[in-house]
Amino acid sequence: MASLNIEHITFDCEDPQSLAAFWAKVMDLEVEDDSDDFTRLTAGQGGIHFAFQKVPEGKEAKNRVHLDLNSDNMVKTVEKLVGLGGSVVQERSSPNTTWTVMRDPEGNEFCVN
């Protein structure tokens, strides 16, 4: 079987440049490619690329796949993300961990623990 690598994680969105700017600040990534309908961020050689592509339809339901972000200080990280334009959905916990469910400016869910 041929080997596979993730080229980038792609977000369908209304405004690629705006959403890319949010995630660039969140993840400390750089813009690598930018056009009206597509923006790509990179963390450099071997890093994770995020892509944002314009689509005609808006987000209507919960994401089927989402990012789980690990932080050394969940409370401060959540405050920072809210300041950048994210929003808190709810705090959740299990016997082993606590996390905050959030949304980016276009409503894509992600978690911070």
Side-chain angles (χ1 to χ4, degrees), residues 9 13 25 29 46 67 69 92 109:
I9 298 169
C13 56
K25 291 175 186 168
L29 301 173
L67 302 176
L69 306 177
R92 308 274 319 256
E109 295 89 2

Side-chain angles (χ1 to χ4, degrees), residues 76-94:
K76 286 188 180 201
T77 299
V78 168
E79 288 174 0
K80 174 187 173 185
L81 297 175
V82 168
L84 293 173
S87 59
V88 172
V89 176
Q90 65 180 325
E91 274 200 21
R92 308 274 319 256
S93 62
S94 71

Side-chain angles (χ1 to χ4, degrees), residues 11-13 19 24 31 34-35 43 63 68 70 85 98-100 104-105:
F11 292 73
D12 289 348
C13 56
L19 195 57
V31 174
D34 189 18
S35 68
N63 297 11
D68 287 331
N70 187 22
T98 298
W99 66 96
T100 302
D104 71 15

